Amino acid sequence: MPSRGRSALRRIAARGITARGTAMVLGAATAVITGLAAAPAVQASPTAAGALRWTPCDDPAQPGAECATLSVPVDWAQPDGPRLDLAVARRAATDPGARVGSMVFGPGGPGDSGVERVVRGVSRFSPEVRRRFDIVSFDPRGVGGSNPVACSGDLLAERPSPELKSQADFDATMAYNRRLRADCRARTGPVFDHLDTAQTVRDLDALRTALGERKLTFHGSSYGTLLGAQYAETYPRRVRAMVLESVLDHSVPTARAFLRAEAAAAEDSFQEFVKWCEGATDCALHGRDVRAVWQGLLARAGRGELEDPAKPGTSLSSSDLVNKIAFRKFYRADHAGLATAVAGMDAGKPLPASPTSIAPLPPATPVFCSDWQLPVRDYREYASLVAMMNKTAPDLPHLLPIHVVAACLGAPTANPQHRLDAHGAPPVLVSNALHDPATGYPWAVSVARQLGRSGVLLTYEGHGSVTSGPCMEDTVDTYLTDLAVPPRGTRCPAPMKG
């Protein structure tokens, strides 16, 4: 997607199997780290070689976005070594006379393309933010147009089921993970071993320099909050303003604590869905036992009898029912849409029973594994983690985080968890919904506390990862444009909708 290629979205698709974003944010893991657990020794990022050279992005259907590339070291510990080009995009402030500067958006996933976000439009930001700021984002290393992770499609399709039944299954998964890492490393190149967020923090500071900004204005969402928080920790005095929305807590000390938190957040969203259906006459399941209907669908999916609504005639696995149907609707706070989908599947005729396939994880998984240390000793421990998740979220078995734990078994972790220390940072706005299925509210409370005097928690009394409505918009806008910090304890109601 860089300017010199002028091949924007096409170049992303052409690099084989590239790192793409997952629908959910993927969480945290073991051992609180002593000492500096992240980046190489903190030093100023070298000035970019010349200004960014902007040209129109190659997407005539979405005019107005400009694209460029930024050259950075593959390994910031060796700044004179091999380099890679990061894909960058921006949309200029709509009122140049009122422009404050550039605001960098940190994309989620891991695996989401910040360039695609900008090219396809920046409607997630308010008209006031679009008026006052150039909206800039980038594809993090290993993603999209920035040396994407590439792996064998055939090997990805061979991924063993995360529903391990024995120590032999556990050992086979470890062996498969080793084979896959070797394949992806060979196809991706040297950057494969330098995908962690501590490296991306240095990329972000190089982007700030190339944009000509003395201090960074940043808005991170979901996985992008890890990038923002670690930037504030690494360069606290280079932050102008920072919004962390739908927050990951990178201090969660163990795989068990991480999985319990993820399961609790997802189950909370299911319970909120059931509660809404009981009270909303426009719910397609109103007046029925929603849990019983749902459990019936899970049973049919487990037998291979449930039809995939997106692929008529093919079966939908119980894992995909949970993660691709329910979870995505929770993420968008679309209770009505989920009720309609569940009612439709329930009314459909059962398919002949057949085995269901395991959907491959995106190649962005190595980014996650490099940030989260999730060791599991053996099958017995793994089985106990699954049992704990099923007890915590009885309505949502097979949640994606346990799949990712399985995919990370044996992987090295360059940037393991640790508590934040951002002493000297200005106020950071930590924003979260009370009912977020992926980044639960307790994580935001924890991150705000770790930030100490710098952490200002803004609570959205709604559902999903969406934080909308005039209260949220005005509070965030005023903070970003005028650096006016809301009173501690500020809470915003959700708009009235299903």
Side-chain angles (χ1 to χ4, degrees):
M1 206 153 306
S3 56
R4 63 188 171 94
R6 290 191 52 77
S7 56
L9 302 175
R10 286 201 302 271
R11 192 166 82 95
I12 293 176
R15 284 293 301 270
I17 300 175
T18 62
R20 311 297 293 180
T22 57
M24 68 181 292
V25 177
L26 305 172
T30 98
V32 175
I33 307 303
T34 58
L36 291 176
V42 174
Q43 59 187 27
S45 299
T47 302
L52 292 165
R53 291 182 286 277
W54 299 103
T55 62
C57 299
D58 187 22
D59 190 344
Q62 301 285 348
E66 298 174 293
C67 286
T69 53
L70 176 66
S71 176
V72 298
V74 166
D75 180 2
W76 279 97
Q78 299 181 27
D80 297 324
R83 302 183 73 83
L84 72 129
D85 285 344
L86 297 179
V88 184
R90 76 172 177 187
R91 285 184 180 269
T94 59
D95 184 354
R99 179 181 178 276
V100 175
S102 296
M103 185 184 76
V104 179
F105 173 67
D112 289 354
S113 166
V115 170
E116 279 196 42
R117 169 68 68 182
V118 172
V119 169
R120 295 178 184 275
V122 287
S123 58
R124 68 167 290 133
F125 299 109
S126 72
E128 179 66 6
V129 168
R130 300 198 300 270
R131 184 175 78 90
R132 303 292 298 277
F133 291 94
D134 296 347
I135 308 297
V136 179
S137 194
F138 65 107
D139 289 350
R141 51 179 56 215
V143 173
S146 299
N147 200 147
V149 171
C151 309
S152 162
D154 290 342
L155 190 54
L156 285 171
E158 294 174 16
R159 180 170 73 95
S161 170
E163 298 176 42
L164 309 184
K165 305 295 185 184
S166 65
Q167 184 63 39
D169 287 351
F170 185 91
D171 294 340
T173 297
M174 292 280 282
Y176 170 81
N177 288 353
R178 286 193 294 271
R179 277 199 302 143
L180 182 62
R181 283 197 302 275
D183 175 85
C184 298
R185 179 181 291 108
R187 293 171 186 270
T188 304
V191 76
F192 185 82
D193 294 316
H194 305 284
L195 296 172
D196 59 280
T197 293
Q199 294 278 350
T200 306
V201 163
R202 309 296 298 277
D203 297 342
L204 177 58
D205 198 54
L207 178 58
R208 174 195 61 79
T209 301
L211 291 168
E213 297 291 343
R214 189 174 65 86
K215 292 190 175 184
L216 176 71
T217 300
F218 180 86
H219 188 296
S221 177
S222 64
Y223 210 80
T225 65
L226 176 55
L227 173 60
Q230 287 200 213
Y231 185 94
E233 180 176 51
T234 309
Y235 303 113
R237 302 191 188 279
R238 297 182 192 176
V239 176
R240 175 189 168 272
M242 180 172 287
V243 177
L244 305 180
E245 173 201 318
S246 301
V247 186
L248 273 75
D249 181 4
H250 198 229
S251 75
V252 177
T254 64
R256 183 172 297 274
F258 157 64
L259 291 171
R260 182 183 289 112
E262 289 283 65
E267 181 69 17
D268 171 72
S269 287
F270 187 88
Q271 292 172 0
E272 287 292 303
F273 166 65
V274 172
K275 188 189 306 181
W276 173 80
C277 242
E278 289 173 349
T281 56
D282 58 337
C283 171
L285 298 170
H286 184 68
R288 301 180 64 185
D289 185 335
V290 176
R291 275 197 169 83
V293 173
W294 177 252
Q295 289 293 336
L297 291 184
L298 283 171
R300 284 168 58 184
R303 296 190 296 267
E305 299 172 356
L306 187 65
E307 186 173 53
D308 186 338
K311 300 176 182 177
T314 62
S315 62
L316 184 75
S317 69
S318 49
S319 174
D320 283 350
L321 175 63
V322 168
N323 294 300
K324 291 188 175 181
I325 304 295
F327 195 89
R328 288 182 181 178
K329 296 294 187 183
F330 294 152
Y331 206 68
R332 300 178 182 126
D334 185 9
H335 289 166
L338 177 57
T340 300
V342 168
M345 287 186 287
D346 180 61
K349 293 182 179 179
L351 295 174
S354 63
T356 55
S357 61
I358 300 295
L361 286 169
T365 303
V367 177
F368 175 82
C369 298
S370 68
D371 282 328
W372 302 94
Q373 200 171 49
L374 301 165
V376 181
R377 289 187 302 274
D378 52 24
Y379 167 70
R380 285 186 64 183
E381 183 179 8
Y382 187 88
S384 74
L385 293 173
V386 172
M388 177 274 297
M389 289 192 76
N390 289 340
K391 182 177 180 180
T392 306
D395 296 296
L396 299 168
H398 317 297
L399 280 166
L400 192 58
I402 193 65
H403 297 219
V404 178
V405 167
C408 289
L409 290 174
T413 305
N415 179 40
Q417 309 88 278
H418 62 281
R419 288 187 64 82
L420 276 173
D421 180 4
H423 181 74
V428 173
L429 197 60
V430 180
S431 166
N432 220 89
L434 280 178
H435 305 288
D436 187 308
T439 55
Y441 185 71
W443 279 0
V445 173
S446 173
V447 169
R449 286 176 177 163
Q450 289 171 59
L451 287 168
R453 296 178 62 182
S454 298
V456 180
L457 180 62
L458 174 63
T459 301
Y460 174 67
E461 296 175 330
H463 302 85
S465 65
V466 180
T467 51
S468 58
C471 173
M472 292 296 296
E473 188 172 288
D474 292 347
T475 303
V476 173
D477 288 358
T478 303
Y479 166 72
L480 286 172
T481 56
D482 302 329
L483 302 180
V485 181
R488 292 185 182 274
T490 296
R491 299 170 76 92
C492 287
M496 297 297 292
K497 64 177 182 179

